[in-house]
Amino acid sequence: MERRRRPSQGCSLLRMIKKAACLDESAPDTGKGKNKFKSQLCTNKVSHGFHLVEGQSGHDMEDYHFAEYRKKKGHVLGLFAIYDGHLGDRVPSYLKENLFDNILEEQNFFEDPKTAIKNAYHSTDKVILEKSLQLGPGGSTAVTAIVIDGKDLWVANIGDSRAVICRGGVADQLSVDHEPHIERRRIEKQGGFVTTLPGDVPRVNGQLAVARAFGDENLKAHLSSEPDIRNVRIDSRTEFVILASDGLWKVMSNQEAVDMVRHIRDPQSAAKRLTTEALARKSKDDISCIVIRFG
């Protein structure tokens, strides 16, 4: 994601030259998997593939992904997420290790997934802020997808990492891009401000390019950790879901992404195709992508 401005002395020219020289040699994070749990409740096949590529923004990789299948209380769960950090990777790393556990530990998860997800997002952010000395001043966006028994999909997000579903070839954005200019009224009501300098994007207090995020202790009075949550049923028209950081969406529309990989059956190949195209379109940010296939 668009990072906060940093003091010039904080970015060494030597480090940038070294990074540029070795960029092509850095191995991408890539892989795939599928649900192997058996359950009478689970009637749909679910598989996934992912591909992450470090960007050229002069900082270490700050994108993390999560993709795992679990069986809980007789239900089969597919758990997927993209976490796009800023000012370091400690917060997205913490989210990778803890957010889904916190969601599933909510007592009412299966009865009321929306409330459970909302509560877990808030409680996780609270702990991150309490651990700010350990986790640092940075933060992270998040887009999470939970597939229950192959037929019920819950998507939640804060920030500008995005979820897009393909049904019958048509792209539908399931998440909300939390951009500062859209939430200007709330931010100003809480004592903050939104600036847009020439050639730049709108930023909260001139620093952060999203209006909602985990962490960011110094900006938290003006940021929200309230997730947008959406529930959709997976039916015969549902083909796949794309989760990706803004490194992809900055250079590609939702429908373009869907059209590009609709006929690629292998989800890992589809994820790699999207990240490769984003690089070809000169995206400079870290690019992370998960494709979740149904049927």
Side-chain angles (χ1 to χ4, degrees), residues 14 24 33 41 44 55 74 118 149 152 180 199 205 212 243 291-292:
L14 179 61
D24 293 336
L41 297 174
N44 240 337
K118 179 179 177 180
D149 296 322
D152 203 17
N205 294 3
R212 305 188 194 187
L243 304 181
V291 175
I292 309 162

Side-chain angles (χ1 to χ4, degrees), residues 10 18 37 44 46 57 68 92 94 97 107 130 140 156-157 166 195 220 240 273 281 284 287-288:
K18 181 179 178 182
F37 291 106
N44 240 337
V46 183
S57 300
E68 188 176 299
Y94 182 86
E97 295 298 323
Q107 291 185 353
E130 290 170 350
S140 180
N157 86 291
C166 172
T195 59
K220 205 67 206 187
F240 58 90
R273 176 73 181 89
R281 297 187 184 194
K284 303 298 183 184
I287 307 165
S288 53

Side-chain angles (χ1 to χ4, degrees), residues 59-289:
H59 59 80
D60 292 335
M61 181 67 162
E62 295 173 339
D63 279 11
Y64 280 73
H65 84 286
F66 188 99
E68 188 176 299
Y69 301 92
R70 297 182 189 176
K71 195 169 185 179
K72 187 177 180 70
K73 294 185 177 181
H75 295 277
V76 176
L77 304 175
L79 309 173
F80 310 95
I82 294 292
Y83 305 118
D84 182 357
H86 46 271
L87 283 186
D89 66 351
R90 294 181 185 178
V91 173
S93 176
Y94 182 86
L95 291 170
K96 178 175 181 175
E97 295 298 323
N98 294 279
L99 183 56
F100 277 119
D101 286 343
N102 294 345
I103 292 173
L104 298 182
E105 285 170 6
E106 289 284 326
Q107 291 185 353
N108 64 337
F109 173 74
F110 289 105
E111 293 73 31
D112 186 0
K114 183 175 183 178
T115 299
I117 293 168
K118 179 179 177 180
N119 289 344
Y121 265 63
H122 286 313
S123 63
T124 302
D125 189 49
K126 182 179 178 181
V127 173
I128 288 171
L129 295 174
E130 290 170 350
K131 292 178 176 286
S132 60
L133 289 178
Q134 174 186 341
L135 297 177
S140 180
T141 72
V143 59
T144 58
I146 302 177
V147 180
I148 303 176
D149 296 322
K151 54 193 176 186
D152 203 17
L153 173 66
W154 288 88
V155 168
N157 86 291
I158 54 175
D160 55 5
S161 294
R162 189 182 299 175
V164 173
I165 194 169
C166 172
R167 282 186 289 220
V170 177
D172 178 17
Q173 185 170 323
L174 300 179
S175 56
V176 176
D177 295 342
H178 296 131
E179 300 176 353
H181 69 281
I182 296 175
E183 301 195 26
R184 180 189 299 270
R185 181 173 296 182
R186 174 188 62 76
I187 293 167
E188 291 178 346
K189 188 176 180 180
Q190 294 174 203
F193 59 91
V194 176
T195 59
T196 306
L197 297 176
D200 196 12
V201 296
R203 294 178 183 271
V204 178
N205 294 3
Q207 299 179 65
L208 191 64
V210 289
R212 305 188 194 187
F214 284 101
D216 290 294
E217 181 189 27
N218 294 335
L219 289 174
K220 205 67 206 187
H222 311 133
L223 293 179
S224 171
S225 60
E226 179 78 11
D228 272 290
I229 302 172
R230 187 166 169 188
N231 173 226
V232 297
R233 295 289 291 179
I234 299 167
D235 57 24
S236 60
R237 296 178 64 250
T238 308
E239 300 175 48
F240 58 90
V241 171
I242 302 170
L243 304 181
S245 62
D246 67 328
L248 178 74
W249 305 116
K250 284 176 185 174
V251 295
M252 198 177 305
S253 72
N254 297 340
Q255 193 62 51
E256 280 181 309
V258 161
D259 291 343
M260 192 171 297
V261 299
R262 187 184 179 199
H263 299 295
I264 301 176
R265 292 300 304 171
D266 177 52
Q268 181 183 13
S269 298
K272 185 175 181 180
R273 176 73 181 89
L274 289 169
T275 57
T276 301
E277 179 63 23
L279 286 172
R281 297 187 184 194
K282 310 300 183 185
S283 178
K284 303 298 183 184
D285 205 350
D286 297 333
I287 307 165
S288 53
C289 178

